[in-house]
Amino acid sequence: MTNKRPKPEEIVTKLRQVEVLTGQGMPRLDAIRQISVTEQTFYRWKKKYGGMGTDQLKELKRLQQENERLRRAVSDLTLDKLILAEAA
């Protein structure tokens, strides 16, 4: 049985839950345990997604997809340029 990796939206929700629980006076370690992740995972998630809302997360995903598309376009053009230079 494999562990299911949480989606970024779920990660942002869990980070928000920890913020709420610590705001209510629960110790941070107990709040981290309550969302069923390790302390190391929590801090890694916080470093990557901390302070991010769901709208910002969607924008980040969109920008990453556009960046990947542009990288592919540049690599294709570079390859075409090299082929033409070799043929000439």
Side-chain angles (χ1 to χ4, degrees):
M1 192 162 105
T2 60
N3 289 338
K4 185 181 120 183
R5 193 170 280 197
K7 295 179 181 172
E9 293 86 6
E10 296 169 347
I11 292 172
V12 170
T13 303
K14 287 185 177 192
L15 289 175
R16 190 69 40 98
Q17 286 175 350
V18 170
E19 289 176 14
V20 169
L21 291 173
T22 55
Q24 293 174 350
M26 180 181 283
R28 179 171 287 179
L29 288 177
D30 292 340
I32 292 171
R33 288 186 193 118
Q34 188 166 348
I35 63 167
S36 304
V37 297
T38 63
E39 188 177 356
Q40 181 181 6
T41 301
F42 170 77
Y43 287 113
R44 190 173 351 108
W45 285 355
K46 187 173 180 181
K47 183 178 179 182
K48 187 171 183 180
Y49 300 107
M52 198 178 286
T54 54
D55 294 337
Q56 292 172 329
L57 185 62
K58 289 177 185 176
E59 180 68 15
L60 175 66
K61 279 184 179 182
R62 188 189 65 74
L63 290 173
Q64 286 175 340
Q65 289 173 348
E66 183 179 351
N67 190 21
E68 184 62 32
R69 182 186 61 80
L70 291 172
R71 283 180 192 236
R72 271 190 250 122
V74 168
S75 66
D76 290 345
L77 290 173
T78 304
L79 183 60
D80 290 346
K81 181 182 174 185
L82 290 173
I83 291 171
L84 289 173
E86 191 176 305

Coordinates of all heavy atoms in Angstrom, one line a residue:
M1 N 0.8 -1.2 0.0 CA 0.0 0.0 0.0 C 0.9 1.2 0.0 O 1.8 1.4 0.8 CB -0.9 0.0 1.2 CG -2.0 1.0 1.2 SD -3.3 0.6 2.4 CE -2.9 1.8 3.6
T2 N 0.7 2.1 -1.0 CA 1.5 3.3 -1.1 C 0.8 4.5 -0.4 O -0.4 4.6 -0.3 CB 1.8 3.7 -2.5 OG1 0.5 3.9 -3.2 CG2 2.5 2.6 -3.3
N3 N 1.7 5.4 0.1 CA 1.1 6.6 0.7 C 0.7 7.6 -0.4 O 1.5 7.8 -1.4 CB 2.2 7.3 1.6 CG 2.4 6.5 2.9 OD1 1.6 5.7 3.3 ND2 3.6 6.7 3.5
K4 N -0.4 8.2 -0.2 CA -0.9 9.2 -1.2 C -0.2 10.5 -0.9 O -0.2 11.0 0.3 CB -2.4 9.3 -1.0 CG -3.0 10.2 -2.1 CD -4.5 10.3 -1.9 CE -4.8 11.8 -1.6 NZ -6.2 12.0 -1.3
R5 N 0.4 11.1 -1.9 CA 1.0 12.4 -1.7 C 0.0 13.5 -1.8 O -0.8 13.6 -2.8 CB 2.1 12.6 -2.8 CG 3.0 13.7 -2.6 CD 4.1 13.7 -3.6 NE 5.1 12.7 -3.1 CZ 6.3 12.7 -3.6 NH1 6.7 13.5 -4.5 NH2 7.2 11.7 -3.1
P6 N -0.1 14.4 -0.8 CA -1.1 15.4 -0.8 C -0.9 16.5 -1.9 O 0.3 16.8 -2.3 CB -1.0 16.1 0.5 CG 0.4 15.7 1.0 CD 0.8 14.5 0.4
K7 N -2.0 17.0 -2.4 CA -1.9 18.0 -3.5 C -1.6 19.3 -2.8 O -1.8 19.5 -1.6 CB -3.3 18.1 -4.2 CG -3.6 16.9 -4.9 CD -5.0 17.0 -5.6 CE -5.3 15.7 -6.3 NZ -6.6 15.6 -6.8
P8 N -1.0 20.3 -3.6 CA -0.7 21.6 -3.0 C -1.8 22.3 -2.3 O -1.6 22.9 -1.3 CB -0.2 22.4 -4.2 CG 0.4 21.3 -5.2 CD -0.6 20.2 -5.0
E9 N -3.0 22.1 -2.8 CA -4.2 22.8 -2.2 C -4.4 22.2 -0.8 O -4.7 22.9 0.1 CB -5.5 22.6 -3.0 CG -5.5 23.3 -4.3 CD -4.8 22.5 -5.5 OE1 -4.4 21.4 -5.3 OE2 -4.6 23.1 -6.5
E10 N -4.2 20.8 -0.7 CA -4.4 20.2 0.6 C -3.3 20.6 1.6 O -3.5 20.8 2.8 CB -4.3 18.7 0.4 CG -5.5 18.1 -0.4 CD -5.3 16.7 -0.7 OE1 -4.2 16.1 -0.6 OE2 -6.3 16.1 -1.2
I11 N -2.1 20.8 1.1 CA -0.9 21.3 1.9 C -1.2 22.7 2.5 O -1.0 22.9 3.6 CB 0.4 21.3 1.1 CG1 0.8 19.8 0.7 CG2 1.5 22.0 1.8 CD1 1.9 19.7 -0.2
V12 N -1.7 23.6 1.6 CA -2.0 24.9 2.1 C -3.1 24.9 3.2 O -3.0 25.6 4.2 CB -2.5 25.8 0.9 CG1 -3.0 27.1 1.4 CG2 -1.3 26.1 0.0
T13 N -4.1 24.0 3.0 CA -5.2 23.8 4.0 C -4.6 23.3 5.3 O -5.0 23.8 6.4 CB -6.2 22.9 3.5 OG1 -6.7 23.4 2.2 CG2 -7.4 22.8 4.4
K14 N -3.7 22.3 5.2 CA -3.1 21.8 6.5 C -2.2 22.8 7.2 O -2.3 22.9 8.4 CB -2.3 20.5 6.2 CG -3.2 19.4 5.8 CD -2.4 18.1 5.7 CE -3.3 16.9 5.4 NZ -2.6 15.6 5.5
L15 N -1.5 23.6 6.4 CA -0.7 24.7 7.0 C -1.6 25.7 7.7 O -1.3 26.2 8.8 CB 0.1 25.4 6.0 CG 1.3 24.6 5.4 CD1 2.0 25.4 4.3 CD2 2.3 24.2 6.5
R16 N -2.7 26.0 7.1 CA -3.7 26.9 7.7 C -4.3 26.3 9.0 O -4.5 27.1 10.0 CB -4.8 27.2 6.7 CG -5.7 28.3 7.0 CD -5.2 29.7 7.0 NE -4.2 30.0 5.9 CZ -4.5 30.6 4.7 NH1 -5.7 31.0 4.5 NH2 -3.6 30.8 3.8
Q17 N -4.5 25.0 9.0 CA -5.0 24.4 10.2 C -4.1 24.5 11.4 O -4.5 24.7 12.5 CB -5.3 22.9 9.9 CG -6.5 22.6 9.1 CD -6.7 21.1 8.8 OE1 -5.8 20.3 9.0 NE2 -7.8 20.8 8.2
V18 N -2.8 24.3 11.1 CA -1.8 24.4 12.1 C -1.8 25.9 12.7 O -1.7 26.1 13.9 CB -0.4 24.0 11.6 CG1 0.7 24.4 12.6 CG2 -0.3 22.5 11.3
E19 N -1.9 26.9 11.8 CA -1.9 28.2 12.2 C -3.1 28.5 13.2 O -2.9 29.2 14.2 CB -2.0 29.2 11.0 CG -0.7 29.3 10.2 CD -0.9 30.2 9.0 OE1 -1.9 30.9 8.9 OE2 0.0 30.1 8.1
V20 N -4.2 28.0 12.8 CA -5.4 28.1 13.6 C -5.3 27.5 15.0 O -5.6 28.1 16.0 CB -6.7 27.6 12.9 CG1 -7.9 27.5 13.8 CG2 -7.0 28.5 11.7
L21 N -4.8 26.2 15.0 CA -4.6 25.5 16.2 C -3.6 26.2 17.1 O -3.8 26.3 18.4 CB -4.2 24.1 15.9 CG -5.3 23.2 15.3 CD1 -4.7 21.8 14.9 CD2 -6.5 23.0 16.2
T22 N -2.5 26.7 16.6 CA -1.5 27.4 17.4 C -2.1 28.7 17.9 O -1.7 29.1 19.0 CB -0.2 27.6 16.7 OG1 -0.4 28.3 15.5 CG2 0.5 26.3 16.4
G23 N -2.9 29.3 17.1 CA -3.6 30.5 17.5 C -4.5 30.3 18.7 O -4.8 31.2 19.5
Q24 N -5.1 29.1 18.8 CA -6.0 28.8 19.9 C -5.2 28.3 21.1 O -5.9 28.0 22.1 CB -6.9 27.7 19.4 CG -7.9 28.1 18.3 CD -8.7 26.9 17.8 OE1 -8.5 25.8 18.1 NE2 -9.7 27.2 17.0
G25 N -3.9 28.3 21.1 CA -3.1 28.0 22.3 C -2.5 26.6 22.3 O -1.9 26.2 23.2
M26 N -2.8 25.8 21.2 CA -2.2 24.5 21.2 C -0.7 24.6 20.8 O -0.3 25.4 20.0 CB -2.9 23.6 20.1 CG -2.4 22.2 20.0 SD -3.3 21.2 18.8 CE -4.8 20.9 19.6
P27 N 0.2 23.8 21.5 CA 1.6 23.8 21.1 C 1.8 23.4 19.7 O 1.0 22.6 19.1 CB 2.2 22.8 22.1 CG 1.3 22.6 23.2 CD -0.1 22.9 22.6
R28 N 2.8 24.0 19.0 CA 3.0 23.7 17.6 C 3.2 22.3 17.3 O 2.6 21.7 16.3 CB 4.2 24.6 17.1 CG 4.4 24.3 15.6 CD 5.4 25.2 15.1 NE 4.8 26.5 15.0 CZ 5.3 27.6 14.5 NH1 6.6 27.6 14.2 NH2 4.7 28.7 14.5
L29 N 4.0 21.6 18.1 CA 4.2 20.1 17.8 C 2.9 19.3 17.9 O 2.7 18.4 17.1 CB 5.3 19.6 18.8 CG 6.7 20.0 18.6 CD1 7.6 19.5 19.6 CD2 7.2 19.7 17.2
D30 N 2.1 19.6 18.8 CA 0.8 18.9 18.9 C -0.1 19.2 17.7 O -0.8 18.3 17.2 CB 0.1 19.3 20.2 CG 0.8 18.8 21.4 OD1 1.6 17.8 21.3 OD2 0.5 19.3 22.5
A31 N -0.1 20.5 17.2 CA -0.8 20.8 16.1 C -0.3 20.1 14.8 O -1.1 19.7 14.0 CB -0.8 22.3 15.9
I32 N 1.0 20.0 14.7 CA 1.6 19.3 13.6 C 1.2 17.8 13.6 O 0.9 17.2 12.6 CB 3.1 19.5 13.6 CG1 3.5 20.9 13.3 CG2 3.8 18.6 12.5 CD1 5.0 21.3 13.5
R33 N 1.2 17.2 14.8 CA 0.8 15.8 14.9 C -0.6 15.6 14.5 O -1.0 14.6 14.0 CB 1.1 15.3 16.3 CG 2.6 15.1 16.6 CD 2.8 14.5 17.9 NE 4.2 14.6 18.3 CZ 4.6 15.3 19.4 NH1 3.8 15.9 20.2 NH2 5.9 15.3 19.6
Q34 N -1.4 16.6 14.8 CA -2.9 16.5 14.6 C -3.2 16.5 13.1 O -4.2 15.8 12.7 CB -3.6 17.6 15.3 CG -5.1 17.5 15.2 CD -5.9 18.4 16.1 OE1 -5.3 19.0 17.0 NE2 -7.2 18.5 16.0
I35 N -2.4 17.1 12.3 CA -2.6 17.1 10.8 C -1.9 15.9 10.2 O -1.9 15.7 9.0 CB -2.2 18.4 10.1 CG1 -0.7 18.6 10.2 CG2 -3.0 19.6 10.6 CD1 -0.1 19.7 9.3
S36 N -1.3 15.0 11.0 CA -0.7 13.7 10.6 C 0.4 13.9 9.6 O 0.5 13.2 8.6 CB -1.8 12.9 9.9 OG -2.9 12.7 10.8
V37 N 1.4 14.8 9.9 CA 2.6 14.9 9.2 C 3.8 15.0 10.2 O 3.6 15.3 11.4 CB 2.7 16.1 8.2 CG1 1.6 16.0 7.2 CG2 2.6 17.4 9.0
T38 N 5.0 14.7 9.7 CA 6.1 14.9 10.6 C 6.5 16.3 10.7 O 6.1 17.2 9.9 CB 7.3 14.1 10.0 OG1 7.7 14.6 8.8 CG2 7.0 12.6 9.9
E39 N 7.3 16.6 11.7 CA 7.8 18.0 11.9 C 8.6 18.5 10.7 O 8.5 19.6 10.2 CB 8.6 18.1 13.2 CG 8.9 19.5 13.6 CD 9.7 19.5 14.9 OE1 9.8 18.5 15.6 OE2 10.0 20.6 15.3
Q40 N 9.5 17.6 10.2 CA 10.3 17.9 9.1 C 9.5 18.3 7.8 O 9.7 19.2 7.1 CB 11.3 16.8 8.8 CG 12.2 17.1 7.6 CD 13.1 15.9 7.3 OE1 13.0 14.9 7.9 NE2 14.0 16.1 6.4
T41 N 8.4 17.5 7.6 CA 7.5 17.7 6.4 C 6.8 19.0 6.6 O 6.7 19.8 5.6 CB 6.5 16.6 6.3 OG1 7.2 15.3 6.2 CG2 5.6 16.8 5.2
F42 N 6.4 19.3 7.8 CA 5.7 20.6 8.1 C 6.6 21.8 7.7 O 6.1 22.7 7.0 CB 5.2 20.7 9.5 CG 4.7 22.0 9.9 CD1 3.5 22.5 9.5 CD2 5.5 22.9 10.6 CE1 3.0 23.7 9.8 CE2 5.0 24.2 11.0 CZ 3.8 24.6 10.6
Y43 N 7.8 21.7 8.2 CA 8.7 22.9 7.9 C 9.1 23.0 6.5 O 9.3 24.1 5.9 CB 9.9 22.8 8.9 CG 9.6 23.2 10.3 CD1 9.6 22.2 11.3 CD2 9.1 24.4 10.6 CE1 9.3 22.5 12.6 CE2 8.8 24.8 11.9 CZ 8.8 23.8 12.9 OH 8.5 24.1 14.2
R44 N 9.2 21.8 5.8 CA 9.5 21.9 4.3 C 8.3 22.5 3.6 O 8.5 23.3 2.7 CB 9.7 20.5 3.8 CG 10.3 20.4 2.4 CD 10.7 19.1 1.9 NE 10.7 18.0 2.9 CZ 9.9 17.0 3.0 NH1 8.9 16.9 2.1 NH2 10.0 16.1 3.9
W45 N 7.1 22.1 4.0 CA 5.9 22.6 3.3 C 5.8 24.1 3.6 O 5.4 24.9 2.8 CB 4.6 22.0 3.9 CG 4.4 20.6 3.4 CD1 5.1 19.9 2.4 CD2 3.4 19.7 3.8 NE1 4.6 18.7 2.2 CE2 3.5 18.5 3.0 CE3 2.4 19.8 4.7 CZ2 2.6 17.4 3.2 CZ3 1.5 18.7 4.9 CH2 1.6 17.5 4.1
K46 N 6.1 24.5 4.9 CA 6.0 25.9 5.3 C 7.0 26.8 4.5 O 6.7 27.9 4.1 CB 6.2 26.1 6.8 CG 6.0 27.5 7.3 CD 6.1 27.5 8.8 CE 5.8 28.9 9.2 NZ 5.9 29.1 10.7
K47 N 8.1 26.2 4.2 CA 9.2 26.9 3.5 C 8.7 27.1 2.0 O 8.9 28.2 1.4 CB 10.5 26.2 3.5 CG 11.6 26.9 2.8 CD 12.9 26.1 2.9 CE 14.0 26.7 2.2 NZ 15.2 25.9 2.2
K48 N 8.0 26.1 1.5 CA 7.6 26.2 0.1 C 6.3 26.9 -0.1 O 6.1 27.7 -1.0 CB 7.5 24.8 -0.5 CG 7.2 24.8 -2.0 CD 7.4 23.4 -2.6 CE 7.2 23.4 -4.1 NZ 7.3 22.1 -4.7
Y49 N 5.3 26.6 0.8 CA 3.9 27.2 0.6 C 3.5 28.1 1.7 O 2.3 28.6 1.7 CB 2.9 26.0 0.5 CG 3.1 25.0 -0.6 CD1 3.7 23.8 -0.3 CD2 2.8 25.3 -1.9 CE1 3.9 22.8 -1.3 CE2 3.0 24.4 -2.9 CZ 3.5 23.2 -2.6 OH 3.7 22.3 -3.6
G50 N 4.3 28.5 2.6 CA 3.9 29.3 3.7 C 3.4 30.7 3.3 O 4.0 31.4 2.5
G51 N 2.3 31.1 3.9 CA 1.7 32.4 3.6 C 1.0 32.4 2.3 O 0.6 33.5 1.9
M52 N 0.9 31.3 1.6 CA 0.3 31.3 0.3 C -1.2 31.0 0.4 O -1.5 30.1 1.1 CB 1.0 30.3 -0.6 CG 0.8 30.5 -2.1 SD 1.7 29.3 -3.0 CE 3.4 29.9 -2.9
G53 N -2.0 31.7 -0.3 CA -3.4 31.4 -0.4 C -3.7 30.5 -1.6 O -2.9 30.3 -2.4
T54 N -4.9 30.0 -1.7 CA -5.3 29.1 -2.8 C -5.2 29.9 -4.1 O -4.8 29.3 -5.2 CB -6.7 28.5 -2.6 OG1 -7.6 29.6 -2.4 CG2 -6.7 27.6 -1.5
D55 N -5.6 31.2 -4.1 CA -5.5 32.0 -5.4 C -4.0 32.1 -5.8 O -3.7 32.0 -7.0 CB -6.1 33.3 -5.2 CG -7.6 33.3 -4.9 OD1 -8.2 32.3 -5.4 OD2 -8.1 34.2 -4.4
Q56 N -3.2 32.4 -4.9 CA -1.7 32.5 -5.2 C -1.2 31.2 -5.7 O -0.3 31.1 -6.6 CB -1.0 33.0 -4.0 CG -1.3 34.4 -3.6 CD -0.6 34.8 -2.3 OE1 -0.5 33.9 -1.4 NE2 -0.3 36.0 -2.1
L57 N -1.7 30.1 -5.1 CA -1.2 28.7 -5.5 C -1.6 28.5 -7.0 O -0.8 27.9 -7.8 CB -1.8 27.7 -4.6 CG -1.3 26.3 -4.8 CD1 0.2 26.2 -4.6 CD2 -2.0 25.3 -3.9
K58 N -2.9 28.8 -7.3 CA -3.3 28.6 -8.7 C -2.5 29.5 -9.7 O -2.1 29.0 -10.8 CB -4.8 29.0 -8.8 CG -5.7 28.0 -8.2 CD -7.2 28.4 -8.3 CE -8.0 27.4 -7.5 NZ -9.4 27.9 -7.4
E59 N -2.2 30.7 -9.3 CA -1.3 31.6 -10.1 C 0.1 31.0 -10.3 O 0.6 31.0 -11.4 CB -1.3 33.0 -9.5 CG -0.4 33.9 -10.3 CD -1.0 34.3 -11.6 OE1 -2.2 34.0 -11.9 OE2 -0.3 34.9 -12.5
L60 N 0.6 30.4 -9.2 CA 1.9 29.8 -9.3 C 1.9 28.6 -10.2 O 2.8 28.5 -11.1 CB 2.4 29.3 -7.9 CG 3.7 28.5 -7.8 CD1 4.8 29.4 -8.2 CD2 3.9 28.0 -6.4
K61 N 0.9 27.8 -10.2 CA 0.8 26.6 -11.1 C 0.7 27.1 -12.5 O 1.4 26.5 -13.4 CB -0.5 25.8 -10.8 CG -0.3 24.8 -9.6 CD -1.6 24.1 -9.6 CE -1.6 23.0 -8.5 NZ -2.9 22.3 -8.5
R62 N -0.1 28.2 -12.8 CA -0.2 28.7 -14.1 C 1.1 29.2 -14.7 O 1.5 28.9 -15.8 CB -1.3 29.8 -14.2 CG -1.6 30.2 -15.6 CD -2.5 31.5 -15.6 NE -1.9 32.6 -15.0 CZ -0.9 33.4 -15.7 NH1 -0.5 33.0 -16.9 NH2 -0.4 34.4 -15.1
L63 N 1.8 29.9 -13.8 CA 3.1 30.4 -14.2 C 4.1 29.3 -14.5 O 4.9 29.4 -15.4 CB 3.6 31.4 -13.2 CG 2.9 32.7 -13.1 CD1 3.4 33.5 -11.9 CD2 3.0 33.5 -14.4
Q64 N 4.1 28.3 -13.7 CA 5.0 27.2 -13.9 C 4.7 26.5 -15.2 O 5.6 26.1 -15.9 CB 4.9 26.2 -12.7 CG 5.6 26.7 -11.5 CD 5.4 25.7 -10.3 OE1 4.5 24.9 -10.3 NE2 6.2 25.9 -9.3
Q65 N 3.4 26.3 -15.5 CA 3.1 25.7 -16.8 C 3.5 26.5 -18.0 O 4.0 26.0 -19.0 CB 1.6 25.4 -16.9 CG 1.1 24.3 -15.9 CD -0.4 24.2 -15.9 OE1 -1.1 25.0 -16.4 NE2 -0.9 23.1 -15.3
E66 N 3.3 27.8 -17.9 CA 3.7 28.7 -18.9 C 5.2 28.7 -19.1 O 5.7 28.7 -20.2 CB 3.2 30.1 -18.7 CG 3.5 31.1 -19.8 CD 3.0 32.5 -19.5 OE1 2.3 32.7 -18.5 OE2 3.4 33.4 -20.3
N67 N 5.9 28.7 -18.0 CA 7.4 28.7 -18.0 C 7.9 27.4 -18.7 O 8.8 27.5 -19.6 CB 7.9 28.8 -16.6 CG 9.4 29.0 -16.6 OD1 10.0 29.4 -17.6 ND2 10.0 28.7 -15.5
E68 N 7.3 26.3 -18.4 CA 7.6 25.0 -19.1 C 7.4 25.0 -20.6 O 8.2 24.6 -21.4 CB 6.9 23.9 -18.4 CG 7.3 22.5 -18.9 CD 8.7 22.1 -18.7 OE1 9.3 22.6 -17.7 OE2 9.3 21.5 -19.5
R69 N 6.2 25.6 -20.9 CA 5.9 25.7 -22.4 C 6.9 26.6 -23.1 O 7.4 26.3 -24.2 CB 4.5 26.3 -22.5 CG 4.0 26.4 -24.0 CD 2.7 27.2 -24.1 NE 2.7 28.5 -23.5 CZ 3.2 29.6 -24.2 NH1 3.6 29.4 -25.4 NH2 3.1 30.8 -23.7
L70 N 7.3 27.7 -22.5 CA 8.3 28.6 -23.1 C 9.7 28.0 -23.2 O 10.4 28.1 -24.2 CB 8.4 29.9 -22.3 CG 7.1 30.8 -22.4 CD1 7.3 32.0 -21.4 CD2 6.9 31.3 -23.8
R71 N 10.0 27.2 -22.2 CA 11.3 26.5 -22.2 C 11.4 25.5 -23.4 O 12.4 25.4 -24.1 CB 11.6 25.8 -20.9 CG 12.0 26.7 -19.8 CD 12.2 25.8 -18.5 NE 12.4 26.7 -17.4 CZ 13.4 26.7 -16.6 NH1 14.4 25.8 -16.8 NH2 13.5 27.5 -15.6
R72 N 10.2 24.8 -23.6 CA 10.2 23.8 -24.7 C 10.3 24.5 -26.0 O 11.0 24.1 -26.9 CB 8.9 23.0 -24.6 CG 9.1 21.8 -23.8 CD 7.9 20.8 -23.9 NE 7.2 20.9 -22.6 CZ 5.9 21.2 -22.5 NH1 5.2 21.5 -23.5 NH2 5.4 21.2 -21.3
A73 N 9.6 25.7 -26.1 CA 9.7 26.5 -27.4 C 11.1 26.9 -27.7 O 11.6 26.8 -28.8 CB 8.7 27.6 -27.3
V74 N 11.8 27.4 -26.7 CA 13.2 27.9 -26.8 C 14.1 26.7 -27.2 O 14.9 26.9 -28.1 CB 13.7 28.6 -25.6 CG1 15.2 28.8 -25.6 CG2 12.9 29.9 -25.4
S75 N 13.9 25.6 -26.6 CA 14.8 24.5 -26.9 C 14.5 24.0 -28.3 O 15.4 23.6 -29.0 CB 14.6 23.3 -25.9 OG 13.3 22.8 -26.0
D76 N 13.2 24.0 -28.8 CA 12.9 23.6 -30.1 C 13.6 24.6 -31.1 O 14.2 24.1 -32.2 CB 11.4 23.5 -30.4 CG 10.8 22.4 -29.7 OD1 11.5 21.5 -29.2 OD2 9.5 22.4 -29.5
L77 N 13.5 25.9 -30.9 CA 14.1 26.9 -31.8 C 15.6 26.7 -31.8 O 16.2 26.9 -32.8 CB 13.7 28.3 -31.3 CG 12.2 28.6 -31.6 CD1 11.9 30.0 -31.0 CD2 11.9 28.6 -33.1
T78 N 16.2 26.5 -30.6 CA 17.7 26.3 -30.6 C 18.1 25.1 -31.4 O 19.1 25.1 -32.1 CB 18.1 26.1 -29.1 OG1 17.7 27.3 -28.4 CG2 19.6 26.0 -29.0
L79 N 17.3 24.0 -31.3 CA 17.6 22.8 -32.1 C 17.5 23.1 -33.6 O 18.4 22.7 -34.3 CB 16.7 21.7 -31.6 CG 16.9 20.3 -32.3 CD1 18.3 19.8 -32.0 CD2 15.9 19.3 -31.8
D80 N 16.5 23.8 -34.0 CA 16.3 24.2 -35.4 C 17.5 25.0 -35.9 O 18.0 24.8 -37.0 CB 15.0 24.9 -35.6 CG 13.8 24.0 -35.4 OD1 13.9 22.8 -35.4 OD2 12.7 24.6 -35.3
K81 N 17.9 25.9 -35.0 CA 19.0 26.8 -35.4 C 20.3 26.0 -35.6 O 21.0 26.2 -36.5 CB 19.2 27.9 -34.3 CG 20.3 28.8 -34.6 CD 20.5 29.8 -33.5 CE 21.7 30.7 -33.7 NZ 21.9 31.6 -32.5
L82 N 20.5 25.0 -34.7 CA 21.7 24.2 -34.8 C 21.7 23.3 -36.1 O 22.7 23.2 -36.8 CB 21.9 23.3 -33.6 CG 22.3 24.0 -32.3 CD1 22.2 23.1 -31.1 CD2 23.6 24.7 -32.4
I83 N 20.5 22.8 -36.4 CA 20.4 22.0 -37.6 C 20.7 22.8 -38.8 O 21.3 22.4 -39.8 CB 19.0 21.3 -37.7 CG1 18.9 20.3 -36.6 CG2 18.7 20.7 -39.0 CD1 17.5 19.7 -36.4
L84 N 20.1 24.1 -38.9 CA 20.3 24.9 -40.0 C 21.8 25.4 -40.2 O 22.3 25.4 -41.3 CB 19.4 26.2 -39.9 CG 17.9 25.9 -40.2 CD1 17.2 27.2 -39.9 CD2 17.7 25.5 -41.6
A85 N 22.4 25.6 -39.0 CA 23.8 26.0 -39.1 C 24.7 24.8 -39.6 O 25.7 25.0 -40.3 CB 24.3 26.4 -37.7
E86 N 24.3 23.6 -39.2 CA 25.1 22.4 -39.6 C 24.9 22.2 -41.1 O 25.8 21.8 -41.8 CB 24.6 21.2 -38.8 CG 25.5 20.0 -39.0 CD 25.1 18.9 -38.1 OE1 25.0 19.1 -36.8 OE2 24.8 17.8 -38.6
A87 N 23.7 22.4 -41.6 CA 23.4 22.2 -43.0 C 24.0 23.2 -43.9 O 24.3 23.0 -45.1 CB 21.9 22.2 -43.2
A88 N 24.3 24.4 -43.4 CA 24.8 25.5 -44.2 C 26.3 25.4 -44.4 O 27.1 24.7 -43.9 CB 24.5 26.8 -43.6

